[in-house]
Amino acid sequence: MGRSLMPLNPGWIELIYGCVKSGKSRALIDKINSIKNAIDEEKFEKEFLVVKHPLDDKETQGKISSFDGKNIDAIECETAKDLVEHVTKHTKFIFLSGVHLFDRDIVPLLKALVDINVIIVTTGINLTAKGEPYNYMPQIMTITDVYDIRAGECFTSGCGENAYRSIKVNDHFEPRCMKCYYKTEKTPDLVVVTGPMFSQKTLELIAKTKEKERKLELNPVKNEDGFMNKDISAIFKWSEDKRYDLEKIVSHDGNSINAIPIESNSQVINYLKINKQVGFVGFDEIQFFKDPYPLIKELLERGYPIYITCLKEDFRGEGFGDVPKILTLANIIISKEAYCTRCQKQPATKTQRFIIKNGIKTPANYNDPVILVGGKESYTSVCRSCHWVPEKSENKYDNILKLKQIN
């Protein structure tokens, strides 16, 4: 039985994230103040909820504070259960400081809030001082719609470059740039291009690679032996992705570049050991690769600039493989949108898989295999409201929030 069309869904999640002392709280405070100054106080108190986790700057209780001295009043909530108690049927906006400190239930709660059209702007630290994903940030970054990464200033003496990592020094934390953090000769960067199918992600990688190749042709650089260009590109693809060409990555509109098909991480490492002139590494559809997270970490530690395209969610709307963890490593995330082929009114951020039954397109079941390489014959792009997966478990916060909408 089909699902009736739901109302258009204007809810979304904006994540302001980055290392310590990167101005995340200041950015959130500025957003809140700009809205407070534009509407009357009664409307703000009724429709807007300003919340912080109590461990997010413990020195200032009941306030969101920035390291440069700005602050604003906030309700303190330690768990998702605490937060939902403050949501009413009038709540339209939630400003949330310190999302990285919440329990695992914050993820389904944020999903449920967006489904009832609440707009959420939140701050969080994506990585610990050891360079690992912070708590449930991989899952939070997977359901984020708008990414706003903030750079600090590297505290390394004489550096001052943009910082995207944090380290612990004695009893406090300091920001570090990518080069100082990884202690590499060159500056490692990670750009992740994500979005649903048919949102031109591969085209971004193709354009970036061709741009670098043109620059090398115009400004050839010799290596120590004086023969070969440094910084040539190596683009890798999953060997089982044979939709258009085994040794090329091809966009849905026919653009292509050469690529190296691989089956394992060791093939990438071995290729780069042999081809030392490679200075730019790209991966197309990295969600298909086996255990790519440790590979990306190792390449960053070796100083490579990396460019990745991926689906962050599978057809079920769940995090796709290692992609959620890879998102926490990125210092640039480009979020692409397609066109919703169902309602034809909203941008598409989801991938819908379908099967053909008796000549009719039917959404694939939640329990169907996650990986099925295909194109328009098996997939389409849809908005959040039109995305439907039969047999998917109900979000436990859906009914709680629906009751709040009634009462």
Side-chain angles (χ1 to χ4, degrees):
M1 185 174 175
R3 184 193 68 165
S4 61
L5 280 171
M6 294 176 65
L8 293 182
N9 188 340
W12 75 80
I13 299 171
E14 177 180 346
L15 176 63
I16 304 168
Y17 69 105
C19 64
V20 297
K21 295 181 173 57
S22 57
K24 301 179 296 298
S25 295
R26 176 61 187 268
L28 186 64
I29 292 167
D30 287 347
K31 281 179 181 286
I32 297 168
N33 281 331
S34 67
I35 292 172
K36 284 187 78 172
N37 293 334
I39 63 175
D40 63 71
E41 187 177 343
E42 184 180 349
K43 182 179 176 66
F44 186 87
E45 294 295 328
K46 184 178 180 180
E47 298 180 359
F48 291 74
L49 193 56
V50 182
V51 180
K52 68 169 283 189
H53 192 282
L55 295 180
D56 189 44
D57 189 6
K58 292 181 284 187
E59 280 73 35
T60 54
Q61 293 184 355
K63 292 183 182 294
I64 298 171
S65 300
S66 62
F67 70 90
D68 62 354
K70 300 290 181 181
N71 63 71
I72 196 165
D73 291 339
I75 300 165
E76 291 196 351
C77 295
E78 193 170 354
T79 65
K81 186 178 178 181
D82 296 338
L83 174 56
V84 79
E85 292 298 320
H86 293 279
V87 177
T88 73
K89 64 181 180 181
H90 302 294
T91 304
K92 294 182 179 179
F93 298 85
I94 297 177
F95 297 98
L96 176 59
S97 181
V99 72
H100 59 290
L101 297 166
F102 278 80
D103 58 311
R104 69 168 64 241
D105 270 6
I106 194 65
V107 180
L109 175 56
L110 293 177
K111 283 184 176 182
L113 286 166
V114 168
D115 284 342
I116 60 167
N117 305 337
V118 176
I119 294 170
I120 301 159
V121 183
T122 185
T123 64
I125 296 176
N126 47 316
L127 293 170
T128 67
K130 293 182 178 179
E132 295 297 335
Y134 208 126
N135 287 348
Y136 302 103
M137 286 300 284
Q139 294 90 332
I140 292 165
M141 294 185 77
T142 301
I143 63 174
T144 293
D145 299 289
V146 180
Y147 300 91
D148 182 1
I149 188 165
R150 297 287 166 144
E153 182 179 325
C154 184
F155 274 29
T156 301
S157 179
C159 182
E161 294 293 323
N162 283 345
Y164 299 100
R165 298 290 188 264
S166 308
I167 66 164
K168 190 172 185 180
V169 181
N170 300 321
D171 60 347
H172 66 282
F173 295 90
E174 293 182 357
R176 288 290 186 273
C177 70
M178 301 288 274
K179 188 175 179 180
C180 292
Y181 182 85
Y182 290 109
K183 298 180 173 63
T184 54
E185 250 184 73
K186 293 182 63 176
T187 300
D189 283 305
L190 175 57
V191 179
V192 175
V193 183
T194 187
M197 289 189 67
F198 313 111
S199 58
Q200 300 187 325
K201 301 181 299 296
T202 296
L203 197 59
E204 291 268 354
L205 176 56
I206 292 170
K208 183 71 174 179
T209 305
K210 287 183 175 180
E211 178 191 350
K212 291 189 75 66
E213 288 173 351
R214 281 195 298 270
K215 285 181 179 178
L216 277 179
E217 288 174 5
L218 293 171
N219 300 292
V221 181
K222 293 182 179 179
N223 67 7
E224 290 81 0
D225 300 320
F227 293 110
M228 194 176 294
N229 276 327
K230 288 182 178 179
D231 295 341
I232 67 169
S233 302
I235 310 301
F236 299 96
K237 64 177 287 183
W238 185 45
S239 60
E240 294 302 308
D241 186 358
K242 303 172 184 177
R243 284 174 292 179
Y244 299 106
D245 193 296
L246 180 60
E247 296 186 343
K248 289 180 183 290
I249 61 168
V250 185
S251 64
H252 292 295
D253 62 0
N255 279 281
S256 67
I257 54 172
N258 292 330
I260 304 148
I262 63 157
E263 297 177 0
S264 66
N265 292 350
S266 60
Q267 286 179 280
V268 176
I269 297 301
N270 290 336
Y271 181 91
L272 296 175
K273 281 181 180 178
I274 295 168
N275 297 277
K276 297 185 184 300
Q277 73 275 24
V278 172
F280 174 79
V281 181
F283 295 90
D284 189 44
E285 307 282 14
I286 205 167
Q287 73 275 359
F288 292 138
F289 290 50
K290 185 178 180 181
D291 301 323
Y293 174 71
L295 172 63
I296 299 305
K297 280 196 72 177
E298 181 173 348
L299 294 182
L300 287 171
E301 289 164 3
R302 290 168 177 247
Y304 285 100
I306 309 166
Y307 207 92
I308 290 172
T309 70
C310 61
L311 295 170
K312 63 178 180 178
E313 294 180 322
D314 57 31
F315 78 96
R316 305 170 304 170
E318 308 286 3
F320 209 145
D322 274 3
V323 171
K325 290 194 292 183
I326 289 172
L327 289 173
T328 66
L329 296 173
N331 52 309
I332 299 176
I333 298 176
I334 300 171
S335 187
K336 305 282 286 182
E337 295 174 340
Y339 174 73
C340 182
T341 57
R342 187 172 182 189
C343 70
Q344 301 181 4
K345 294 178 180 178
Q346 293 196 109
T349 57
K350 302 282 187 181
T351 298
Q352 181 85 61
R353 184 195 291 173
F354 53 81
I355 55 176
I356 307 296
K357 280 188 178 179
N358 302 321
I360 299 172
K361 286 184 180 180
T362 304
N365 191 284
Y366 183 87
N367 297 311
D368 286 347
V370 172
I371 294 180
L372 174 67
V373 179
K376 292 181 179 179
E377 76 285 351
S378 302
Y379 295 96
T380 190
S381 53
V382 294
C383 66
R384 183 185 285 113
S385 297
C386 292
H387 187 244
W388 178 42
V389 184
E391 303 299 323
K392 185 172 182 176
S393 299
E394 194 172 84
N395 185 335
K396 70 179 183 179
Y397 283 103
D398 284 345
N399 286 332
I400 296 172
L401 291 173
K402 282 174 185 173
L403 286 172
K404 283 179 172 283
Q405 296 298 297
I406 296 169
N407 297 327

